[in-house]
Amino acid sequence: MATVDPASIQPKSTTAEDTLQRKSRDASVISGGHLVAKALKNEGIDTIFTLCGGHIIDIYDGCVDEGIRIIDVRHEQVAAHAADGYARQTGKLGCVVTTAGPGCTNAMTGIATAFRSESPVLHIGGQGALTQHKMGSLQDLPHVNMMTPITKFAATVSSTERVADMISMAAREAFKGAPGPVYLEIPRDVLDREVDVAKAVVPQPGKYRASTRSVGDPRGIEKLADILVDAQRPAILYGQQVWAARGHNEAIELLRGLDIPGYFNGASRGLLPPGDPHHFDRTRSQAFANADVLLIVGTPFDFRMGYGKRISKNLTLVQIDMDYATVGKNRDISLGLVGDPGAILGAVLQAASGRIKTDKHQSRLQWMKQLREAEGVATDKLMPLFKSDSRPIHPYRVAWELNEFLADDTIYIGDGGDVVTISGQAVRPRRPGQWMDPGALGALGVGTGFAIAAGLANPAKEVLCYYGDGSFGMTAFDMETANRFGVPYLAVIGNNSAMNQIRYGQRSKYGEQRGNVGNLLGDVPFGLFAEMLGGYGEEVRDPAQIAPALERARESIRKLGRSAVVNIWVDPREYAPGTKNQTMYK
Ligand SMILES: Cc1ncc(C[n+]2csc(CCOP(=O)(O)OP(=O)(O)O)c2C)c(N)n1
Ligand SMILES: [Mg+2]
């Protein structure tokens, strides 16, 4: 079967009855749902992710008129992850639309993920009619109260005239400082009511917001330029904001222009391709311990950074972030700058260019050489694991094979516990934007929604999601959605028939017997799942078969236009070093 042309899934009204109904509509009035669609279009939103419900159907009807693509999934969690993923991939506001009550609660994990990952997502939720307020209407819940702590802004729209206005308000809030999700609840009667077009407030595209490309305090730029010019052993860590705010070009130019080793986490992985002289990824702790200047851009001092504790006390530490409240949080800093990462880094490069003295430059080159050698030593150490022939298959071998298999345009998604943590040591995405992970919330189940979003946003790219078997089971049914909308992807599962990352901690604390409680799963031949959905599936137990199986799956996706599953049975006795140290809790 050929892949579906994404253009063909744009909503269209084709039947005579449709046309008649549209013509009979009074053009002097407009309903709330149609105002939603107009506002979404004005915001540049071309796709909504949703699961239907009686409370929200007028939004769909509006989307049909505005040519907004409606991607309907099988579970609202997936819709929310997909809206988040679409925002990450397009740089624009993502949008998820859910019905009242359970539609909202199901989506909460996705919104919470976006919240901890600073991803701009507009969540529009249905609600019972205002005329039934607090009367016990179908699916009624206090959505705004529930969503307030996990969004930047949550409100009820209580007037049809203000529907579009409040969407633009929510969109502004989503991009205020560091981006994040926002929630709007629209009661059913507000959505269905028709109001005079002339009375509806509809902010026009490009006219309801300011630029977010702030360089912050120019004195901060000068100070940072001076610090970087004087440094002998500088290092920079780029976090997810650099990619999210599309500051990657300036970020790369700064590394190259000033000869500074670059480290990358979260969505910034892939900013530079592996092998680039300024790309480093195995010597982060060494650099953090020995640098004289460390610049942290767009990532907080949270548990992933040991709350800043692992950074040497004796260096000059500079932090740049989009959120004022993140700068200096958990760890004292020497200098803090708030604003747009790309704008700031570009200005700093300009202020520093041509000012590095020869002796300082020589020291830097020496420093980079040292780190490069240490990277080689670290890789050599891992090689026996990466090349392991053991059976059951060692999860490190899978990670290595995945990296070898990636094409220049593959978007790599990680969704799982230990097997995915391990993959972080081997997988090096080749281009910016081609790494997706759940971020600081660490929610399992993000993969399927991310894969759908990645495919829709990048129809020409390959999408690969590496799952744990526990994670795959959480959201896998929406692989059917990916197939239905013509965005098949490659699902690879590191199957250890367990929630292994947690099992390790239990076994080491409670021993062999009690440590296996509540964390063992059945042996599931997930390859059959892909076949059930019309795609290719394969079980792999021989390490030598990993690469050929991945190739067969890639080929099958081209031929069948269906997602494929390569289910790799891995050794449940192997764990990631971070799991053994339980670093995530320290
Ligand atoms: C939604 C959610 N539930 C529970 C957890 C806690 N948790 C973290 S890792 C893990 C095990 C995941 O198992 P699997 O995906 O099979 O990966 P494995 O560790 O076995 O490689 C669990 C349950 C979580 N992070 N997210
Ligand atoms: Mg598992």
Side-chain angles (χ1 to χ4, degrees):
M1 199 198 116
T3 44
V4 179
D5 172 6
S8 73
I9 54 181
Q10 291 287 350
K12 286 181 190 125
S13 289
T14 45
T15 67
E17 192 192 347
D18 274 351
T19 319
L20 204 69
Q21 276 207 350
R22 280 143 140 305
K23 279 201 180 134
S24 72
R25 237 182 236 157
D26 182 352
S28 66
V29 293
I30 185 163
S31 71
H34 286 250
L35 283 166
V36 168
K38 274 201 186 309
L40 295 182
K41 183 135 191 220
N42 287 351
E43 179 58 25
I45 290 171
D46 58 16
T47 304
I48 61 166
F49 298 92
T50 188
L51 196 155
C52 63
H55 294 84
I56 52 171
I57 54 176
D58 198 52
I59 297 177
Y60 295 173
D61 196 56
C63 287
V64 170
D65 269 359
E66 300 296 337
I68 293 173
R69 182 163 64 170
I70 299 167
I71 304 295
D72 52 313
V73 301
R74 293 173 167 270
H75 192 294
E76 288 89 349
Q77 181 185 348
V78 174
H81 288 317
D84 173 359
Y86 203 68
R88 297 183 196 208
Q89 285 298 329
T90 60
K92 294 194 293 188
L93 186 63
C95 184
V96 50
V97 179
T98 62
T99 196
C104 180
T105 55
N106 273 357
M108 284 181 84
T109 301
I111 298 302
T113 294
F115 187 62
R116 288 296 303 271
S117 299
E118 300 178 344
S119 184
V121 173
L122 169 62
H123 179 183
I124 300 175
Q127 173 62 303
L130 281 178
T131 52
Q132 296 161 355
H133 187 51
K134 301 279 181 200
M135 290 173 68
S137 67
L138 173 70
Q139 294 168 223
D140 182 21
L141 277 178
H143 306 114
V144 173
N145 294 349
M146 288 156 41
M147 299 306 286
T148 296
I150 56 167
T151 54
K152 287 163 67 76
F153 174 83
T156 303
V157 182
S158 45
S159 127
T160 306
E161 288 83 351
R162 295 274 320 283
V163 165
D165 185 37
M166 287 204 68
I167 286 180
S168 62
M169 186 185 290
R172 254 189 323 268
E173 296 281 349
F175 288 100
K176 182 178 73 182
V182 291
Y183 175 78
L184 280 181
E185 167 193 84
I186 314 185
R188 183 165 177 165
D189 47 359
V190 173
L191 207 55
D192 283 353
R193 207 175 124 232
E194 292 186 326
V195 294
D196 273 358
V197 169
K199 288 199 177 139
V201 185
V202 185
Q204 292 306 298
K207 298 201 169 173
Y208 56 86
R209 56 155 46 103
S211 165
T212 54
R213 301 255 312 154
S214 162
V215 290
D217 184 347
R219 286 168 302 182
I221 304 280
E222 290 302 324
K223 274 192 205 158
L224 177 52
D226 291 347
I227 289 171
L228 290 176
V229 164
D230 270 344
Q232 306 200 32
R233 298 181 313 283
I236 302 185
L237 173 69
Y238 288 132
Q240 64 86 23
Q241 281 182 3
V242 178
W243 165 248
R246 299 301 188 269
H248 47 292
N249 290 326
E250 291 92 339
I252 293 166
E253 280 161 22
L254 187 73
L255 294 177
R256 290 183 175 152
L258 302 185
D259 267 324
I260 301 177
Y263 296 83
F264 310 87
N265 78 7
S268 278
R269 290 176 72 132
L271 243 57
L272 282 176
D276 186 284
H278 294 89
H279 172 280
F280 292 79
D281 62 1
R282 299 208 192 285
T283 49
R284 199 169 102 169
S285 30
Q286 195 170 330
F288 281 18
N290 298 312
D292 61 351
V293 170
L294 178 60
L295 172 58
I296 306 282
V297 189
T299 189
F301 295 125
D302 64 14
F303 72 97
R304 293 167 298 182
M305 295 271 288
Y307 306 99
K309 282 182 297 208
R310 291 184 214 129
I311 298 170
S312 160
K313 291 235 162 19
N314 307 318
L315 51 70
T316 302
L317 179 60
V318 184
Q319 191 180 11
I320 300 174
D321 204 277
M322 296 168 86
D323 185 358
Y324 176 83
T326 295
V327 175
K329 181 174 165 180
N330 300 339
R331 171 68 162 80
D332 284 3
I333 51 168
S334 317
L335 173 67
L337 284 83
V338 179
D340 176 75
I344 292 176
L345 297 173
V348 168
L349 177 61
Q350 219 177 21
S353 280
R355 286 176 48 202
I356 302 175
K357 304 231 167 65
T358 316
D359 59 327
K360 295 270 165 58
H361 193 220
Q362 284 310 317
S363 311
R364 282 164 194 237
L365 294 178
Q366 185 57 32
W367 161 242
M368 290 205 346
K369 194 164 158 252
Q370 263 174 31
L371 291 171
R372 182 62 62 206
E373 281 165 13
E375 293 253 323
V377 171
T379 304
D380 291 347
K381 249 193 185 163
L382 286 166
M383 249 346 165
L385 292 177
F386 285 152
K387 293 283 175 82
S388 164
D389 281 326
S390 65
R391 293 168 81 140
I393 294 173
H394 200 297
Y396 271 86
R397 172 73 183 260
V398 182
W400 170 258
E401 296 285 357
L402 285 173
N403 186 53
E404 294 291 294
F405 174 77
L406 289 194
D408 282 349
D409 73 345
T410 309
I411 297 175
Y412 177 85
I413 300 162
D415 177 12
D418 226 52
V419 293
V420 171
T421 307
I422 288 172
S423 83
Q425 290 183 63
V427 174
R428 293 158 154 174
R430 315 295 196 248
R431 291 192 192 140
Q434 294 187 175
W435 172 277
M436 297 178 84
D437 66 31
L441 191 72
L444 304 175
V446 296
T448 313
F450 280 5
I452 293 168
L456 289 169
N458 308 278
K461 289 192 177 189
E462 179 178 63
V463 179
L464 186 157
C465 183
Y466 185 35
Y467 294 93
D469 58 308
S471 297
F472 185 72
M474 290 189 180
T475 54
F477 244 104
D478 269 295
M479 184 177 276
E480 186 277 320
T481 306
N483 290 348
R484 181 160 32 100
F485 284 99
V487 283
Y489 70 100
L490 173 49
V492 181
I493 302 166
N495 193 339
N496 47 27
S497 304
M499 301 284 190
N500 227 28
Q501 190 159 76
I502 307 306
R503 196 172 76 100
Y504 181 85
Q506 288 179 260
R507 281 168 62 94
S508 52
K509 190 168 178 193
Y510 303 108
E512 181 87 4
Q513 273 197 339
R514 286 171 174 260
N516 281 324
V517 172
N519 53 36
L520 293 176
L521 301 168
D523 294 338
V524 185
F526 286 114
L528 294 175
F529 186 81
E531 289 181 24
M532 181 183 81
L533 300 175
Y536 179 78
E538 185 167 345
E539 305 298 308
V540 179
R541 295 182 188 276
D542 173 1
Q545 279 305 307
I546 299 172
L550 292 172
E551 284 301 342
R552 284 190 284 271
R554 175 179 271 161
E555 198 45 41
S556 81
I557 294 171
R558 276 193 204 120
K559 270 205 205 125
L560 304 172
R562 300 280 179 187
S563 300
V565 169
V566 177
N567 189 31
I568 305 176
W569 295 86
V570 297
D571 194 339
R573 296 165 303 181
E574 300 293 348
Y575 304 93
T579 302
K580 290 187 198 163
N581 293 327
Q582 298 279 288
T583 17
M584 59 285 234
Y585 304 113
K586 287 182 179 160

